[in-house]
Amino acid sequence: MVNPALDPAAVDPAAAEPSPSTSAEKQRFAKTRFVANAGLAAGATYQWIVKPYREGKFKKGAKGRTFALIKAGLAGAFAYNRLKAAVDNAKGDPLLSKAVVPLTAGIESLKGLGSKLRKGNANDADLSSLQDVITGVKSAGQSAGAPVTDRVPSLSQLGG
């Protein structure tokens, strides 16, 4: 038998649960998660979409085109997912949320990019809008005191 005087959880089960983080901790972690997610999106975009596009790897007849398109499609879907997560993270910080909210429509416009890239249907305008969104998210982070640096995910991270 447990002595209630010695075990606070026996009297109040909620006492055994960890207390929630303070609002300051939640905000700090929100910025950290925002930076991580936005950095992964930016890194995937550059490494697997922008760089191969500039090198001409998506053009018909290019060596390794199929594999480059598959990687780009996965990277596009991954970047969209990480950008959505970054916006959700930004909601935990008042300054970040104000900076990122205007970018939500731009992020939503990227929803089908992964599929377009995989099929080889992406064009200069698609690439430009992707770069604009990434630049906007980086600028929003910078203005809110959460600078974003590119973090290149591995191919296994792209595939889930």
Side-chain angles (χ1 to χ4, degrees), residues 52-53 55-69 116-122:
Y53 186 84
E55 293 171 354
K57 291 187 178 181
F58 298 158
K59 292 181 180 176
K60 290 188 185 209
K63 184 178 180 188
R65 178 179 187 254
T66 302
F67 191 50
L69 288 171
K116 280 178 109 173
L117 285 164
R118 254 191 318 276
K119 293 176 183 175
N121 297 334

Side-chain angles (χ1 to χ4, degrees), residues 138-158:
K138 284 180 159 184
S139 296
Q142 183 72 33
S143 70
V148 175
T149 55
D150 292 7
R151 292 183 47 209
V152 179
S154 66
L155 275 177
S156 63
Q157 285 177 303
L158 291 181

Side-chain angles (χ1 to χ4, degrees), residues 33-75:
R33 291 191 319 260
F34 168 83
V35 168
N37 283 318
L40 284 168
T45 298
Y46 180 76
Q47 182 68 30
W48 306 111
I49 299 172
V50 174
K51 190 173 160 187
Y53 186 84
R54 288 181 181 161
E55 293 171 354
K57 291 187 178 181
F58 298 158
K59 292 181 180 176
K60 290 188 185 209
K63 184 178 180 188
R65 178 179 187 254
T66 302
F67 191 50
L69 288 171
I70 291 169
K71 290 187 291 188
L74 290 171

Side-chain angles (χ1 to χ4, degrees), residues 98-119:
K98 288 178 187 170
V100 175
V101 166
L103 301 170
T104 305
I107 292 168
E108 279 304 312
S109 72
L110 302 175
K111 192 170 190 169
L113 182 63
S115 177
K116 280 178 109 173
L117 285 164
R118 254 191 318 276
K119 293 176 183 175

